[in-house]
Amino acid sequence: MLFDATLRWLDLAGIAVFAASGALVASRKQMDVVGFVVIACITGIGGGTLRDLLLGRTPVFWLRAPELLGVAAAVAVLVFVAAHRVENRFRALLWADAVGLSLYAVLGAEIALMAGADPWAAVLLGVMTASFGGILRDVICNEVPLLLRREIYLTAAALGAATFVALRLEGVWREPAFVAGALACFLLRAASLLRGWSLPGYKPRPGRDHTS
Amino acid sequence: MLFDATLRWLDLAGIAVFAASGALVASRKQMDVVGFVVIACITGIGGGTLRDLLLGRTPVFWLRAPELLGVAAAVAVLVFVAAHRVENRFRALLWADAVGLSLYAVLGAEIALMAGADPWAAVLLGVMTASFGGILRDVICNEVPLLLRREIYLTAAALGAATFVALRLEGVWREPAFVAGALACFLLRAASLLRGWSLPGYKPRPGRDHTS
Amino acid sequence: MLFDATLRWLDLAGIAVFAASGALVASRKQMDVVGFVVIACITGIGGGTLRDLLLGRTPVFWLRAPELLGVAAAVAVLVFVAAHRVENRFRALLWADAVGLSLYAVLGAEIALMAGADPWAAVLLGVMTASFGGILRDVICNEVPLLLRREIYLTAAALGAATFVALRLEGVWREPAFVAGALACFLLRAASLLRGWSLPGYKPRPGRDHTS
């Protein structure tokens, strides 16, 4: 359980935006309202659940926190009722996912550090926590995972988590480190979405890799 | 571990029908007999394994219960030998899945309540336990998950789990509440399969959502 | 945690070869270098993570073992830099996966036995540990899972794990049993790759199964 207010609010905000992204995918699949609620809940709690499982913090956080599921369900119903007003639902989904990615990258890294994880492992746990809800959402709904689009996605999560971990190791307080890490992740992801930034991908030499 | 006889039998029955559904998918993929056994085991124990992981009940139940895996393996071999006698294997798969869904929805909810979960969380855990074996089966075998078909699926699991939880909160004994919850889930799912019932899905306004 | 040197080395070798297979899939998807590192890490630690979760050995092993992630990351960077020199990257991926499969099949079975699991369950846990990293890799990267190709895959893992468990129950020392089990798995898988061996798959009767 999280008794710490900052972590609790971050978790809640991450759940809300990931729930919105899950509900938007449900709208793309034309599910019914129960489908919206279940996919929103799974997307919202997916990252935090993986984090708790890997760290051995069971029962996982949402089993005793009805308000978290209530928030995800409320977001899902809101999207079910109002999504047709959104001009471009896929775009809205990308931005909701970007905010959730930023919040969970730092949150996952912090909780890993608190559990005594090594800094490298904290960065990887941050990346996994941040991306797992979206992976679950896309795999369950049979969508191409966002992380496979030729964009900066995992890199942004890794930058956010690494910024946070580096600042913490330097002795920076937690809240400013949170803000810096989440901002670093969000700005890089936003640049990728708005300007089409990307890192050079692997390019096979032409005429060599015909079989692979 | 489950020492309670009723829960144990429910688990066993759920494993057997989900194992049958897994073996039927393996037949669609023309796997060999080992593939049948492994997919049947994974489908059969998937929901219960997720339930145990989320609640922190480790080592998970099947690591010390050879008879459960034996049942799943026997079902798989039976399907391998006899599936060609089944007129419509996809139809058989849907019904086996429906029975498993009904059993695991109430079982997952009950075990969550026993672990002190909040009622909302118990319903969600019921839905997740009921649907996870099938999701694993479909994701591993690269099938379109049943829950994406335009049918009542998650809704039926949610109805069954919610009926059970509501009756338990009203003080009804466990066994009648089990029967009522599982029946509610099964009848709704059966109506969807037989009559094509479905809830209204999300419908984008025409001419608005061309990009999403 | 593993303090035992043999198990530790096996884990490290399994991580390295699975990381290579993950990086090769990342190259097929033309990811950037961060994507290579993340997919290599997830593929490398996937099987061991599932094993630890199912047995309740949390926090999972890599959270306190930076060197393991360092190895996976180094392998990923090496593949990013040098993969274009490999004639047939898909072939290389198959062989890296085969080595990892063999190592993790016996390792998963041994750790299950040490945790008091029943022999049947130890074989299944071996198969799951061996195949899970590759399943994660293929599902996350949207590839057709290797285990669905019409080849001996799960069967090889099951043979390796079963050979190991049978030898251990006969009182054979651990190290020779490791070698025998891993060799049995690898040789069978290699035969399938080189000679196209396969077990008879399920064949529907013609003209019966048009709907399934």
Side-chain angles (χ1 to χ4, degrees):
Chain A
M1 301 299 119
L2 297 173
F3 292 108
D4 184 308
T6 308
L7 299 187
R8 185 124 198 138
W9 280 106
L10 270 176
D11 229 340
L12 197 59
I15 285 170
V17 291
F18 272 129
S21 81
L24 286 164
V25 171
S27 82
R28 287 159 63 80
K29 297 293 173 180
Q30 306 191 13
M31 291 184 163
D32 59 40
V33 69
V34 176
F36 272 63
V37 170
V38 172
I39 299 296
C41 285
I42 291 177
T43 311
I45 66 182
T49 301
L50 178 67
R51 177 196 68 208
D52 284 3
L53 288 180
L54 294 174
L55 291 168
R57 292 159 34 119
T58 50
V60 297
F61 67 104
W62 50 270
L63 280 170
R64 286 173 208 264
E67 69 279 14
L68 298 177
L69 297 175
V71 166
V75 167
V77 171
L78 196 73
V79 172
F80 187 78
V81 172
H84 64 272
R85 293 177 176 276
V86 178
E87 278 287 333
N88 185 329
R89 294 204 312 278
F90 186 60
R91 205 84 195 151
L93 154 62
L94 290 177
W95 286 102
D97 189 272
V99 174
L101 191 79
S102 308
L103 295 175
Y104 269 12
V106 293
L107 186 58
E110 165 68 4
I111 292 181
L113 287 179
M114 282 169 54
D118 165 90
W120 270 66
V123 172
L124 184 63
L125 192 67
V127 174
M128 292 175 67
T129 304
S131 56
F132 189 67
I135 290 175
L136 270 185
R137 176 193 65 210
D138 295 342
V139 165
I140 292 177
C141 294
N142 230 17
E143 296 258 312
V144 175
L146 281 188
L147 63 85
L148 287 184
R149 291 161 51 96
R150 202 69 51 74
E151 285 168 5
I152 293 180
Y153 189 83
L154 295 175
T155 306
L159 175 70
T163 302
F164 173 79
V165 169
L167 290 174
R168 289 292 281 159
L169 294 183
E170 289 298 315
V172 174
W173 286 348
R174 197 168 67 182
E175 279 73 12
F178 268 143
V179 173
L183 262 185
C185 173
F186 183 76
L187 291 177
L188 183 56
R189 178 76 183 127
S192 174
L193 286 175
L194 292 176
R195 314 229 159 169
W197 282 10
S198 64
L199 287 186
Y202 176 81
K203 283 268 176 283
R205 291 216 185 141
R208 283 294 282 282
D209 291 298
H210 53 287
T211 52
S212 48
Chain B
M1 301 298 118
L2 298 173
F3 291 108
D4 184 308
T6 308
L7 299 186
R8 185 124 199 138
W9 280 106
L10 269 177
D11 229 342
L12 197 58
I15 285 171
V17 290
F18 272 128
S21 80
L24 286 164
V25 172
S27 82
R28 286 159 63 80
K29 297 293 171 178
Q30 305 191 13
M31 291 184 163
D32 59 39
V33 68
V34 177
F36 272 63
V37 170
V38 172
I39 299 296
C41 286
I42 290 177
T43 311
I45 65 182
T49 301
L50 178 68
R51 177 196 67 208
D52 284 2
L53 288 179
L54 294 174
L55 292 168
R57 293 158 35 119
T58 51
V60 297
F61 66 103
W62 50 269
L63 280 171
R64 286 173 207 267
E67 70 279 15
L68 298 178
L69 297 176
V71 166
V75 167
V77 171
L78 196 73
V79 172
F80 187 78
V81 172
H84 64 272
R85 292 177 177 275
V86 178
E87 279 287 332
N88 184 329
R89 294 205 312 279
F90 187 60
R91 204 83 197 152
L93 153 61
L94 289 177
W95 287 103
D97 188 272
V99 175
L101 190 79
S102 308
L103 295 175
Y104 269 12
V106 293
L107 186 58
E110 164 67 5
I111 293 181
L113 287 180
M114 282 168 54
D118 165 89
W120 271 66
V123 173
L124 184 63
L125 192 68
V127 174
M128 293 175 68
T129 304
S131 56
F132 190 68
I135 290 175
L136 270 184
R137 175 194 65 209
D138 295 340
V139 165
I140 292 178
C141 293
N142 229 17
E143 297 257 313
V144 175
L146 282 189
L147 63 86
L148 288 184
R149 291 162 50 97
R150 203 69 51 74
E151 286 168 4
I152 293 181
Y153 189 82
L154 294 176
T155 306
L159 174 70
T163 302
F164 173 79
V165 169
L167 290 174
R168 289 293 280 159
L169 293 184
E170 290 298 314
V172 175
W173 286 350
R174 196 167 68 182
E175 279 71 12
F178 267 143
V179 172
L183 261 186
C185 174
F186 183 76
L187 291 178
L188 183 57
R189 178 76 183 126
S192 174
L193 287 174
L194 292 177
R195 313 231 160 168
W197 282 9
S198 64
L199 287 186
Y202 177 80
K203 282 265 176 286
R205 292 217 184 141
R208 282 295 282 281
D209 291 298
H210 53 287
T211 52
S212 47
Chain C
M1 302 297 117
L2 299 172
F3 292 107
D4 183 309
T6 308
L7 299 186
R8 184 125 198 137
W9 280 106
L10 269 177
D11 229 341
L12 197 59
I15 285 170
V17 292
F18 272 128
S21 81
L24 286 164
V25 171
S27 82
R28 286 160 62 82
K29 297 293 172 178
Q30 305 192 13
M31 290 184 164
D32 60 39
V33 68
V34 176
F36 271 64
V37 169
V38 172
I39 299 296
C41 285
I42 290 176
T43 311
I45 66 182
T49 300
L50 179 67
R51 178 196 66 208
D52 284 2
L53 288 180
L54 294 174
L55 292 168
R57 293 160 34 119
T58 52
V60 297
F61 67 104
W62 50 270
L63 280 170
R64 286 171 207 266
E67 70 279 14
L68 298 177
L69 297 176
V71 166
V75 167
V77 171
L78 196 75
V79 172
F80 187 78
V81 172
H84 63 272
R85 292 176 176 276
V86 178
E87 279 287 333
N88 185 329
R89 294 204 312 279
F90 186 61
R91 205 83 196 152
L93 154 62
L94 289 177
W95 287 102
D97 188 271
V99 175
L101 190 78
S102 308
L103 295 176
Y104 269 12
V106 293
L107 186 58
E110 164 68 4
I111 293 182
L113 288 179
M114 282 168 54
D118 165 271
W120 270 66
V123 173
L124 183 62
L125 192 68
V127 174
M128 292 175 68
T129 304
S131 57
F132 189 67
I135 290 175
L136 269 185
R137 176 194 65 211
D138 295 341
V139 165
I140 292 177
C141 293
N142 229 19
E143 297 257 313
V144 175
L146 282 189
L147 63 85
L148 288 183
R149 291 161 50 96
R150 202 70 50 76
E151 284 168 4
I152 293 180
Y153 190 83
L154 294 175
T155 305
L159 175 70
T163 302
F164 173 79
V165 169
L167 290 174
R168 290 292 281 160
L169 293 184
E170 290 298 315
V172 174
W173 286 348
R174 197 167 67 181
E175 279 72 12
F178 267 143
V179 173
L183 261 186
C185 173
F186 183 77
L187 291 177
L188 183 55
R189 177 78 182 127
S192 173
L193 286 175
L194 292 176
R195 313 229 160 170
W197 283 9
S198 64
L199 288 186
Y202 176 80
K203 283 266 176 284
R205 291 214 184 144
R208 281 296 280 283
D209 291 298
H210 53 288
T211 52
S212 46

